[in-house]
């Protein structure tokens, strides 16, 4: 059996994998097991924020793993403390809880919201509102927070205190009653199709939350840590969420989740009320700290914005592309409707380019430090692939 066959044989088939075994890489260029060079516009779904095997990041991780790999949360550990300090310095938040994934960060947010409400109002005020088309994770609680039925089937029953709304204030006002504790949103729905929430709506929503004493929780698992050209996407909106969750890009490739809370929520959880064995792991934290320090370098985020502009300028010149969405290096691309996104992504890979899908769109989440050369050569492969689909369609039209 070759590697792909063994994967299918031994690993639960929960993923529709792309037809490639990635072996190694540098920056935004991977080498697969056929020794092919592949440009990466996906960064492992927004995780490898500094690309493959970034030297400073790898050194930080290796130094730490040779020193001390785990302590348990019964002890203080230096990298997690330094990482927490840095996260608090760059946000308007007060404290952080570390865990291992986006879903787990959102679970922490849910528990903190419930406890906050319990402490202030007593039992019963525990409903949470999220938005239709959202994605918040795969655990039972975060799945029930995810406003997409396609993810729900087979897995009932769910948490009965989660409700969904369309992203407009009138709809939200109709649903909210006195038993709600929080509103949970992604500012750009990633899995839902790279849909940017309307600025005016988000600002109204913040006011509404203040009026009703609801916590505003922003899931920045995909949008956070430089992805949109600012450290946090909420900065684009000028809002101050009560809770912000992070994961994907924070660790630079190692599993980490973080739940940041503001002053009001900073004392909700006390010893013994929440926890996780691996949270704040020193090796993972050392890597994340290197990611943050890199992003804080003079012009790193300016470079992200320049690269985002380069992508968007090239895309704007392709007449067949119907629309481009997202902010910064979180890019949604609407193809002509006769092109299936997954088939397009498969074809891109054949042509040496990794792209992602989000519903019917193509989604790009390249490493934040992708080079201009990699952008240009990846986009040439993108356009080459698109032309293959277009000419096939034209031939069919002529038959
Ligand atoms: C990926 C993602 C999650 C889930 O993160 P996991 O690490 O897979 O649990 C949650 N919310 C958003 C917005 C995401 O993009």
């Amino acid at each position: 059996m070759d590697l792909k066959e063994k994967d299918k044989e031994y690993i639960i088939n929960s993923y529709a994998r792309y037809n490639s075994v990635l072996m190694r890489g540098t920056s935004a260029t991977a080498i697969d097991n056929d020794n092919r060079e592949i440009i990466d516009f996906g960064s492992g779904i927004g995780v490898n924020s500094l690309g493959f095997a970034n030297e400073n990041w790898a050194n930080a991780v290796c130094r730490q793993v040779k020193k001390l790999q785990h302590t348990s949360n019964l002890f203080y550990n230096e990298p997690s403390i330094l990482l927490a300090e840095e996260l608090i310095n760059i946000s308007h938040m007060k404290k952080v809880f570390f865990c291992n994934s986006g879903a787990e960060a959102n679970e922490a947010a849910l528990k903190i919201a419930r406890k906050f409400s319990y402490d202030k109002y007593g039992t019963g005020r525990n409903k949470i509102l999220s938005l239709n088309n959202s994605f918040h994770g795969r655990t039972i609680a975060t799945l029930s927070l995810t406003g997409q039925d396609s993810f729900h089937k087979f897995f009932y029953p769910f948490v009965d205190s989660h409700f969904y709304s369309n992203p407009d204030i009138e709809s939200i006002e109709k649903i909210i009653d006195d038993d709600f504790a929080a509103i949970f949103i992604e500012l750009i729905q990633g899995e839902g199709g790279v849909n940017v929430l309307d600025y005016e709506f988000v600002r109204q929503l913040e006011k509404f939350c203040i009026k009703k004493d609801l916590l505003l929780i922003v899931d920045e698992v995909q949008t956070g840590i430089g992805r949109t050209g600012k450290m946090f996407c909420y900065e684009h909106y000028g809002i101050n969420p009560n809770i912000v969750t992070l994961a994907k890009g924070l660790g630079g490739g190692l599993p980490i989740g973080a739940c940041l809370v503001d002053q009001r929520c900073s004392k909700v959880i006390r010893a013994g009320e929440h926890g996780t064995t691996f949270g704040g792991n020193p090796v993972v934290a050392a890597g994340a700290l290197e990611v943050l320090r890199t992003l804080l370098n003079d012009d790193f985020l300016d470079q992200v914005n320049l690269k985002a502009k380069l992508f968007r300028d090239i895309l704007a010149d392709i007449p067949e592309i119907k629309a481009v969405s997202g902010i910064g290096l979180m890019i949604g691309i609407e193809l002509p409707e006769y092109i299936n996104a997954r088939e397009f992504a498969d074809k891109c890979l054949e042509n040496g380019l990794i792209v992602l899908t989000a519903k019917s769109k193509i989604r790009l989440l390249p490493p934040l430090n992708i080079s201009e050369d990699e952008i240009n050569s990846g986009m040439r492969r993108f356009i080459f692939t698109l032309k293959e689909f277009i000419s096939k369609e034209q031939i069919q039209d002529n038959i």
Side-chain angles (χ1 to χ4, degrees):
M1 278 195 278
D2 76 0
L3 280 171
K4 292 175 204 165
E5 286 162 355
K6 282 191 186 174
D7 178 297
K8 291 196 173 72
E9 179 70 19
Y10 298 123
I11 298 178
I12 288 184
N13 300 160
S14 59
Y15 304 104
R17 295 200 204 279
Y18 289 112
N19 185 26
S20 185
V21 187
L22 302 181
M23 303 298 280
R24 58 196 152 84
T26 47
S27 186
T29 307
I31 308 292
D32 75 2
N33 65 336
D34 295 325
N35 237 0
R36 277 185 343 132
E37 175 222 276
I38 301 168
I39 304 281
D40 179 23
F41 284 177
S43 63
I45 321 189
V47 167
N48 299 330
S49 34
L50 304 181
F52 293 112
N54 175 270
E55 184 151 347
N56 292 340
W57 176 86
N59 285 339
V61 168
C62 288
R63 268 197 309 274
Q64 184 59 43
V65 80
K66 288 179 180 177
K67 216 157 72 177
L68 180 86
Q69 82 278 28
H70 176 78
T71 61
S72 90
N73 280 310
L74 301 174
F75 295 89
Y76 299 98
N77 88 66
E78 186 181 18
S80 75
I81 296 164
L82 299 180
L83 177 63
E85 181 182 30
E86 200 71 84
L87 279 170
I88 299 312
N89 281 341
I90 60 173
S91 65
H92 76 288
M93 311 305 275
K94 258 309 195 228
K95 283 189 198 293
V96 60
F97 175 80
F98 288 124
C99 49
N100 311 287
S101 68
E104 208 187 352
N106 288 341
E107 289 273 352
L110 288 170
K111 284 179 77 174
I112 291 167
R114 285 186 178 196
K115 176 97 193 315
F116 177 87
S117 188
Y118 178 90
D119 289 346
K120 192 161 174 189
Y121 295 96
T123 52
R125 187 181 181 273
N126 50 29
K127 294 184 187 171
I128 312 270
L129 188 82
S130 61
L131 296 180
N132 286 322
N133 207 35
S134 55
F135 182 84
H136 297 294
R138 303 284 196 162
T139 64
I140 291 291
T142 59
L143 202 53
S144 77
L145 197 64
T146 291
Q148 299 189 57
D149 281 341
S150 58
F151 288 104
H152 291 164
K153 58 180 180 193
F154 316 131
F155 301 117
Y156 288 93
F158 287 125
V159 179
D160 61 8
S161 54
H162 292 173
F163 297 84
Y164 320 110
S165 171
N166 283 334
D168 65 81
I169 285 294
E170 294 73 36
S171 307
I172 288 176
E173 279 176 340
K174 271 189 209 136
I175 298 171
I176 294 287
D177 61 26
D178 291 343
D179 292 337
F180 275 82
I183 298 184
F184 219 116
I185 59 170
E186 294 163 275
L187 292 167
I188 307 174
Q189 295 183 326
E191 307 303 313
V194 197
N195 312 313
V196 181
L197 287 195
D198 179 68
Y199 285 75
E200 212 33 60
F201 161 66
V202 172
R203 298 173 78 108
Q204 285 175 334
L205 186 66
E206 183 184 43
K207 287 206 191 95
F208 179 75
C209 286
I210 292 168
K211 195 174 88 188
K212 297 276 182 185
D213 199 21
L214 301 165
L215 296 177
L216 179 58
I217 306 174
V218 176
D219 178 343
E220 294 235 26
V221 167
Q222 193 160 151
T223 54
I225 311 300
R227 176 54 55 193
T228 66
K230 290 191 186 287
M231 198 57 92
F232 301 99
C233 189
Y234 72 73
E235 296 170 55
H236 289 287
Y237 288 82
I239 57 167
N240 294 312
N242 304 103
I243 302 180
V244 173
T245 57
L246 300 171
K248 293 192 166 87
L250 174 59
L254 289 176
I256 188 170
C259 179
L260 294 162
V261 299
D262 70 357
Q263 176 79 42
R264 292 175 74 203
C265 298
S266 63
K267 297 200 172 82
V268 170
I269 296 292
R270 286 167 311 189
E273 290 175 346
H274 193 48
T276 178
T277 298
F278 292 107
N281 172 275
V283 177
V284 176
L289 192 55
E290 186 59 38
V291 170
L292 289 189
R293 286 180 177 164
T294 305
L295 265 63
L296 288 168
N297 277 343
D298 314 329
D299 68 335
F300 189 94
L301 288 178
D302 295 337
Q303 289 296 322
V304 168
N305 286 309
L306 287 175
K307 284 162 190 175
K309 185 171 183 316
L310 179 55
F311 267 107
R312 288 164 193 278
D313 285 348
I314 297 171
L315 288 165
D317 278 344
I318 307 173
E320 288 79 11
I321 288 176
K322 293 169 63 186
V324 178
S325 64
I327 306 177
L329 286 178
M330 184 163 177
I331 303 170
I333 302 168
E334 209 177 318
L335 299 170
E337 62 270 11
Y338 60 83
I339 301 179
N340 172 281
R342 176 60 198 237
E343 284 170 23
F344 185 81
D346 284 327
K347 205 73 188 163
C348 280
L349 184 58
E350 274 177 39
N351 293 330
L353 174 69
I354 296 171
V355 299
L356 305 170
T357 64
K359 294 237 165 135
S360 64
K361 287 187 193 166
I362 292 297
R363 174 177 42 153
L364 308 184
L365 299 171
L368 303 180
N369 60 353
I370 188 171
S371 70
E372 268 185 42
D373 282 350
E374 286 168 324
I375 296 174
N376 285 319
S377 100
M379 282 311 300
R380 275 196 295 275
R381 295 174 194 194
F382 184 98
I383 291 166
F384 178 83
T385 309
L386 187 59
K387 282 188 176 150
E388 286 186 323
F389 277 87
I390 292 165
S391 58
K392 219 169 33 189
E393 174 74 8
Q394 280 164 352
I395 290 164
Q396 270 170 6
D397 274 358
N398 291 337
I399 293 171

